[in-house]
Amino acid sequence: MNLVDLSGNLLFTAFVAYLAGTILFGGAVKGSKNEASASNKRWGKLGITVTIIGFLAHLSYFITRWIASGHAPVSNMFEFTTAFGMLLVGAAILFYFLYKSPLVGLFALPIAIVILGYAAMFPRDIQPLIPALQSHWLTIHVITAALGEAILAISAVVGLIYLLKNIDLTKKSKERTWLEFIMFTLVLVLGFIVVTVGFRAAGYEAAFDYVDKNGAQAEVVYHMPALFGMNEYSAKTEGTMQPLAEMPAIINAKTLTTFTWSVITGIILYFLIRLISRRRIAELVKPLAVKANSQLMDEIGYRSVLIGFPVFTLGALIFAMIWAHEAWSRFWGWDPKEVWALITWLFYAAYLHLRLSRGWEGRKSAWLAVIGFAIIMFNLVAVNLVIAGLHSYA
Amino acid sequence: MSFIKCECGHQNPEGTDICQNCGRPLSKEEKSKRLADMRYDGAAIRSKTHKRSIVDKIWNFFSSVKIGVSIIIAILVASAIGTILPQVFYVPATSEAQAAQYYEDNYGLFGKIYNALGLSDLYGSWWFMTLVGMLGISLVVVSLDRGIPLYKSLKNQRVDRHPSFLKRQRLYGEGNVQDPDAVMQKAAEKLKEKRYKIREKNGALLAEKGRWARWGPYVNHLGLILFLFGVMLRALPGFYVDESMWIREGEISAVKGAPGLYLENKGFSFDMYTQENTNEVFSEAIDRVGSVASNYQTDVALYETPEGALPGSTNAELVKEYSIVVNKPLKHEGFHIFQMDFKLDELSAMTFALEQKESGESLGELTVNLADPQKEYDLGNGAKVELLDYYPDFSGFEDGEPQTATPVPNNPAFLFKMTTPETPEGETSFVAIRQTLEPLGENTYKLAFQSADTRDVSGLTVRKDKTIPVIALGGLIFMIGVVQGSYFNHRRFWIRKSDDGRIQVAGHTSKNWVALQRELDAVTEHAGLPAYTDQRDKEGHSDKSEGVSNT
Ligand code: HEM
């Protein structure tokens, strides 16, 4: 087995361990009543042990891949997202030891699993570095920024627990709707994974010629039946579906097609779940959250922003500026990715000030934490894939 | 300034919430609260006491955190709007009209409106800069407004606070103990062990640590102010140079914006990853993606005219030779020269043969250096070619006159006059790529294209930024402040015994209440202090172990 295969197997091991960890933490939370019982302790310990094993496997994936390629594996969508998942688990472990709450693990692990699943949908081959990325600052900047984001994400995890516990799901309310919407977005990601894996297994491929926005001839290969065609497309593969509509040159019709298929699949999945369980997804998950101590969740949320904010500032703004100064001759250029890092930073600054001076604690704070995570994800997903700038991972 | 006199006799400035001496609540608002508002230890802040004059009103506006957060959110939203479409500096356009055209062509009506509203240059707009300026002012004002009273209040803390002050703390406990003095002493011991500074007076004890963490926000705001100040400095002449230059292989050119510096382009290279030249772990990716660039490099020599040399003198001395690649700029005297762009295979010279059309017989060849064409080329034996006019980037005729779009030899065209012994009067020929015109009638001779030489052109950017030290210092101070305020906390315990043997204990922290409770738990156990509760925890102290496995 060569290093690259070993690395892949380690990643798979981590994935399985996180699944097992989720189940064990589930046992720990289920077993606990008002007092910490013996069985709860045992499940909790097992849960964290398995999680740490998974994390170590994940870290070994990272190191072996680094050795194999000669550069830190954070240079494309697959690598970055996988590293983010790893750091998220790392942050969850840190907070487990700070506060001994298995609930953090129970909710953070499934999110890490979904993130890993998402990452696996992108090309996994090891790519050589283009000139712009050939710098030690790539390693330093990206890892620190991702670590900051992972720590900040913990506030969204506990925020979600807080909301699940404290929002009355039996009464119609805006909060109930939004909470269900969060659950729905998670199902959407699953939809993306299902549809990608599905068409990949079927070996679907359809090539088109098109004219790009600079007026040049280009070729594109879809791996899903083309719902939308690129600008002035013409099909190159016989017997495949013809696009339903043609898009102008500024819209990447392939991305739009993938997005649409994912939404369709996500909606179908969502309704299947609701049809079978006859409940909202939030209601299905709520029993896991009701044991939470709201005050403790609020404290963990605030603490994770406090710990994550300086790390994020250092990685996503300061190191980024130093690198931009070295590579692009200016420390700040209003590139969309830079701007969204700034937006994230401003958002968490607002969170801290609202909390400190306007007393936005508990529920309001929890909502803000969830929105903060949404901004981070937007920067990772939409800004990379849709609003392409200098940072866009091709 | 008027004062409020507390029951204890202390004169407090108007606007004080909690008596700075004994800790009794003073204001009506404060009295109505179950828990003390400890944000600035109840000190009077300027914005709460001065409300009359215009200056006060402006001061109060900028010192309001509500306003501060509104400014932050406004900048956030504006920044987001600026990412919807590419900003104008990322758009291939050299004039406003071209840019307007670009937005309309590419993004339709939406693009037209976006550009017309000025959103395509959002970050350079006056209103965006005003928002950032307001943020800066707000930071200065709020730091003075709250920092000074907070500093005074914490510096002059009294040890023996009034019982009501303790009762109104979030962590609070009271009860009878056997031997109050022994309990107090043991508590002091334990707290000392935990690195608290202890002060005792009249049967009261104040334990405090980490007060410096309270200055964290003020330090980080100071860093931000410095950072913004540094950014502002750029507007001053001389602080900021930003030029781009194209330099052809083999050329020496003055470095733009850097008087006295010259750069010679000794060769540009552009490399790709291939299956052969890279590690085999990359082979799959190279197969999938096709060509991937591996390096852009300009080999240069930097020359400098010695100080005091006459302007325009050419006795420049070699400073150094360097290979500029992406991520590794050439650095000299505060100037950074970056590899930013390139053009491969620009035409540098064209060779023609002067031929008799009918026989095809050649009278000789001439080579036109496109960067520096000669006026006349003598081919010997009485044959010569004059270059009447040169159009480096021929773009067609306008009113019968040939036009050039740019001075770059992208599509060279020439107006030649050919003179031979056979045609002593001379014949005029217009020669462009794949096109020859004979404007003054049929010629006997023609200039036949033989070959072309090409060379690469490097696009370099020259920067000098004297504001970097200020900006970097601002960033550093911000980081120090934000770590100071977030990773450390200010913790205090007050313990007080009354004559009837009761003990009161109260605790406060700027953040991280769980850690504070753990410390109080340890002290309580060691010293036998009365049990305390978290008066904020609605779900109750007993609930603490819910969802917590190992406590
Ligand atoms: C982007 C700009 C800003 C950043 C990054 C920033 C950052 C911070 C941070 C990290 C804290 C500490 C928060 C905590 O410990 O929970 C803080 C506190 C504070 N900030 Fe800011 N701030 C900014 C702008 C402002 C503005 C515009 C105002 C005013 C109107 C303001 C007023 C305050 C106040 C009053 C505090 C509390 C100080 C104390 O606890 O003594 N900040 N700021």
Side-chain angles (χ1 to χ4, degrees):
Chain A
M1 189 159 58
N2 67 26
L3 214 51
V4 180
D5 294 336
L6 173 67
S7 161
N9 290 337
L10 283 165
L11 184 59
F12 186 68
T13 309
F15 186 82
V16 174
Y18 297 157
L19 281 172
T22 309
I23 293 165
L24 291 168
F25 278 131
V29 171
K30 230 177 143 223
S32 77
K33 287 182 205 76
N34 246 353
E35 291 296 323
S37 65
S39 82
N40 155 20
K41 250 185 209 167
R42 206 177 317 127
W43 285 91
K45 282 228 168 80
L46 265 174
I48 191 68
T49 310
V50 171
T51 307
I52 291 175
I53 291 173
F55 178 72
L56 290 177
H58 205 155
L59 195 63
S60 311
Y61 141 82
F62 192 76
I63 294 169
T64 44
R65 190 171 169 107
W66 191 331
I67 295 170
S69 69
H71 60 256
V74 288
S75 65
N76 59 30
M77 261 314 246
F78 164 74
E79 291 181 343
F80 179 81
T81 314
T82 308
F84 177 67
M86 173 178 84
L87 294 167
L88 182 64
V89 175
I93 294 172
L94 171 74
F95 279 89
Y96 180 87
F97 283 107
L98 284 177
Y99 292 96
K100 299 280 169 5
S101 168
L103 268 163
V104 177
L106 176 61
F107 280 82
L109 285 181
I111 293 177
I113 289 169
V114 171
I115 288 174
L116 285 183
Y118 177 76
M121 298 306 107
F122 292 89
R124 272 170 286 180
D125 45 22
I126 295 185
Q127 295 161 9
L129 290 182
I130 58 169
L133 297 183
Q134 295 166 10
S135 167
H136 291 302
W137 288 107
L138 167 70
T139 315
I140 299 167
H141 153 64
V142 178
I143 293 178
T144 319
L147 179 65
E149 289 178 345
I151 299 171
L152 290 170
I154 296 293
S155 73
V157 172
V158 292
L160 192 61
I161 300 172
Y162 189 100
L163 295 173
L164 280 169
K165 167 159 182 175
N166 289 291
I167 292 176
D168 184 353
L169 296 177
T170 59
K171 282 201 218 85
K172 192 167 152 58
S173 69
K174 256 193 209 143
E175 285 192 302
R176 186 179 79 171
T177 310
W178 279 109
L179 190 61
E180 189 62 11
F181 180 75
I182 296 172
M183 298 296 151
F184 174 68
T185 50
L186 287 173
V187 177
L188 275 192
V189 183
L190 284 183
F192 169 67
I193 295 172
V194 167
V195 76
T196 310
V197 171
F199 284 121
R200 192 183 282 171
Y204 190 90
E205 227 181 70
F208 294 88
D209 279 328
Y210 72 100
V211 177
D212 73 11
K213 71 172 182 238
N214 302 323
Q217 201 69 31
E219 196 198 288
V220 59
V221 181
Y222 284 58
H223 298 283
M224 295 180 193
L227 298 173
F228 302 97
M230 304 289 281
N231 184 37
E232 297 179 32
Y233 67 85
S234 65
K236 288 177 82 177
T237 318
E238 302 238 327
T240 54
M241 181 178 139
Q242 282 305 301
L244 303 176
E246 183 184 319
M247 290 289 119
I250 53 158
I251 291 178
N252 185 335
K254 183 184 167 187
T255 308
L256 188 63
T257 296
T258 308
F259 179 75
T260 310
W261 275 114
S262 307
V263 171
I264 294 172
T265 317
I267 291 174
I268 294 173
L269 275 177
Y270 179 78
F271 279 104
L272 275 179
I273 295 171
R274 289 208 50 176
L275 210 67
I276 293 166
S277 69
R278 307 206 156 268
R279 266 185 289 176
R280 286 189 182 74
I281 298 188
E283 284 173 287
L284 290 175
V285 186
K286 186 170 175 132
L288 297 171
V290 288
K291 306 256 171 71
N293 173 307
S294 306
Q295 180 100 25
L296 181 71
M297 292 303 129
D298 188 49
E299 170 101 16
I300 297 178
Y302 182 33
R303 193 85 193 285
S304 73
V305 175
L306 282 172
I307 297 178
F309 187 69
V311 178
F312 181 80
T313 311
L314 190 67
L317 295 175
I318 295 189
F319 288 159
M321 287 190 220
I322 297 176
W323 185 19
H325 184 254
E326 286 292 309
W328 293 318
S329 82
R330 80 287 181 288
F331 65 86
W332 192 261
W334 297 108
D335 170 73
K337 189 100 198 189
E338 280 172 0
V339 176
W340 278 91
L342 176 70
I343 290 172
T344 311
W345 183 75
L346 289 171
F347 183 84
Y348 283 101
Y351 168 103
L352 288 172
H353 289 88
L354 286 168
R355 193 174 167 106
L356 211 64
S357 74
R358 308 208 58 77
W360 279 33
E361 295 184 7
R363 212 181 262 218
K364 283 180 176 162
S365 196
W367 276 115
L368 286 182
V370 170
I371 296 170
F373 184 64
I375 295 178
I376 291 175
M377 286 297 113
F378 182 82
N379 200 2
L380 176 63
V381 179
V383 177
N384 266 333
L385 301 179
V386 183
I387 313 177
L390 293 171
H391 284 74
S392 173
Y393 296 128
Chain B
M1 185 195 266
S2 55
F3 289 90
I4 316 172
K5 195 166 166 189
C6 175
E7 281 172 58
C8 72
H10 185 75
Q11 298 270 19
N12 291 284
E14 186 193 339
T16 309
D17 282 329
I18 296 172
C19 175
Q20 297 292 291
N21 183 40
C22 68
R24 282 189 184 90
L26 291 179
S27 63
K28 215 188 266 157
E29 198 194 349
E30 184 62 29
K31 279 180 188 157
S32 70
K33 285 185 190 152
R34 197 166 59 91
L35 292 180
D37 182 352
M38 293 293 288
R39 233 181 303 154
Y40 307 101
D41 266 41
I45 56 182
R46 190 186 191 280
S47 56
K48 296 274 164 62
T49 53
H50 297 61
K51 295 191 167 159
R52 256 147 267 160
S53 72
I54 282 275
V55 176
D56 293 341
K57 293 221 165 92
I58 295 174
W59 179 277
N60 295 354
F61 177 80
F62 283 112
S63 72
S64 149
V65 180
K66 205 179 186 174
I67 297 295
V69 172
S70 309
I71 297 172
I72 293 177
I73 299 288
I75 296 177
L76 185 160
V77 171
S79 302
I81 292 172
T83 62
I84 299 176
L85 293 185
Q87 289 288 298
V88 71
F89 40 79
Y90 286 119
V91 159
T94 47
S95 68
E96 262 178 46
Q98 268 183 25
Q101 196 62 41
Y102 180 89
Y103 283 101
E104 191 172 351
D105 290 352
N106 284 280
Y107 308 104
L109 183 63
F110 179 75
K112 192 174 172 180
I113 297 172
Y114 191 85
N115 184 51
L117 288 177
L119 301 178
S120 55
D121 188 19
L122 189 149
Y123 308 111
S125 68
W126 63 268
W127 59 270
F128 188 77
M129 293 199 225
T130 306
L131 279 176
V132 176
M134 285 170 69
L135 183 75
I137 296 171
S138 183
L139 282 164
V140 173
V141 171
V142 82
S143 302
L144 296 173
D145 190 56
R146 324 212 164 196
I148 295 168
L150 179 65
Y151 177 77
K152 284 192 189 151
S153 173
L154 289 179
K155 197 167 160 227
N156 302 326
Q157 276 181 93
R158 240 178 75 164
V159 175
D160 50 337
R161 293 289 179 110
H162 191 258
S164 69
F165 176 79
L166 272 62
K167 207 171 260 172
R168 294 169 71 247
Q169 293 302 319
R170 182 170 153 183
L171 290 196
Y172 179 71
E174 64 170 79
N176 284 311
V177 296
Q178 288 282 323
D179 182 352
D181 290 316
V183 168
M184 295 276 285
Q185 202 198 329
K186 276 184 133 178
E189 243 167 50
K190 190 74 187 172
L191 285 164
K192 233 178 242 155
E193 194 181 296
K194 290 183 169 291
R195 297 170 181 276
Y196 279 83
K197 279 205 197 102
I198 313 281
R199 281 155 65 197
E200 282 176 279
K201 195 175 169 191
N202 303 337
L205 176 152
L206 168 63
E208 186 178 16
K209 80 172 168 193
R211 191 196 286 175
W212 69 294
R214 288 297 277 275
W215 315 128
Y218 301 92
V219 174
N220 89 44
H221 288 168
L222 177 74
L224 284 176
I225 293 166
L226 205 59
F227 185 96
L228 292 177
F229 175 72
V231 173
M232 242 165 55
L233 275 185
R234 265 163 185 246
L236 297 182
F239 271 89
Y240 189 59
V241 173
D242 172 16
E243 301 280 357
S244 46
M245 57 192 273
W246 289 95
I247 175 167
R248 303 183 171 102
E249 280 177 321
E251 260 182 8
I252 297 186
S253 152
V255 178
K256 273 202 197 165
L261 288 183
Y262 297 86
L263 207 59
E264 177 179 3
N265 185 345
K266 300 197 132 180
F268 174 81
S269 46
F270 166 50
D271 301 312
M272 305 276 256
Y273 292 108
T274 61
Q275 298 291 7
E276 292 73 40
N277 72 3
T278 41
N279 191 324
E280 64 175 317
V281 295
F282 300 128
S283 71
E284 209 179 307
I286 291 172
D287 271 349
R288 185 172 56 82
V289 185
S291 48
V292 182
S294 70
N295 193 32
Y296 310 116
Q297 173 170 334
T298 307
D299 297 325
V300 297
L302 182 70
Y303 302 94
E304 184 167 24
T305 45
E307 217 154 305
L310 289 172
S313 72
T314 46
N315 54 343
E317 287 162 9
L318 178 69
V319 179
K320 62 175 139 184
E321 300 204 340
Y322 188 79
S323 298
I324 305 178
V325 301
V326 180
N327 276 310
K328 290 196 182 69
L330 167 63
K331 299 178 186 174
H332 182 65
E333 285 174 358
F335 285 98
H336 286 47
I337 301 177
F338 299 87
Q339 176 68 53
M340 292 302 280
D341 207 345
F342 62 90
K343 244 187 293 182
L344 292 181
D345 303 330
E346 186 185 277
L347 287 170
S348 67
M350 287 172 91
T351 303
F352 301 93
L354 184 61
E355 279 176 10
Q356 223 269 3
K357 272 192 193 167
E358 243 161 62
S359 65
E361 184 195 343
S362 170
L363 296 189
E365 292 191 348
L366 64 141
T367 299
V368 183
N369 178 347
L370 297 176
D372 182 20
Q374 276 166 251
K375 280 220 144 49
E376 194 178 297
Y377 298 86
D378 192 346
L379 304 185
N381 302 325
K384 67 172 183 182
V385 174
E386 279 168 85
L387 180 55
L388 299 180
D389 224 332
Y390 166 46
Y391 312 92
D393 195 2
F394 176 59
S395 58
F397 293 94
E398 226 169 78
D399 302 330
E401 281 288 313
Q403 303 292 318
T404 183
T406 66
V408 183
N410 290 328
N411 183 26
F414 312 88
L415 192 62
F416 287 121
K417 185 173 177 191
M418 308 165 286
T419 316
T420 63
E422 191 182 345
T423 56
E425 298 283 286
E427 294 176 327
T428 308
S429 173
F430 178 81
V431 179
I433 292 174
R434 278 191 229 142
Q435 181 181 16
T436 301
L437 296 175
E438 298 177 346
L440 304 178
E442 187 80 6
N443 293 342
T444 322
Y445 282 85
K446 70 168 186 187
L447 282 163
F449 173 74
Q450 302 294 307
S451 65
D453 294 330
T454 62
R455 57 183 167 181
D456 302 335
V457 192
S458 297
L460 304 176
T461 289
V462 184
R463 291 263 170 150
K464 177 173 174 167
D465 193 345
K466 277 201 206 161
T467 67
I468 292 287
V470 181
I471 287 172
L473 186 67
L476 180 71
I477 293 177
F478 176 84
M479 277 315 299
I480 292 173
V482 82
V483 166
Q484 178 182 347
S486 312
Y487 293 178
F488 299 87
N489 15 90
H490 178 214
R491 298 177 188 170
R492 279 177 292 177
F493 290 114
W494 295 267
I495 307 176
R496 202 191 147 95
K497 66 170 193 226
S498 47
D499 304 332
D500 55 0
R502 284 177 81 72
I503 281 206
Q504 282 182 296
V505 53
H508 180 264
T509 180
S510 53
K511 43 195 48 123
N512 197 358
W513 290 83
V514 170
L516 188 76
Q517 289 193 18
R518 282 191 197 140
E519 291 201 324
L520 188 51
D521 286 340
V523 178
T524 306
E525 196 177 325
H526 179 81
L529 288 170
Y532 70 94
T533 54
D534 180 347
Q535 304 198 62
R536 273 280 282 288
D537 193 347
K538 293 188 204 81
E539 284 163 24
H541 196 55
S542 63
D543 201 30
K544 209 170 61 173
S545 54
E546 277 193 356
V548 176
S549 70
N550 292 7
T551 41

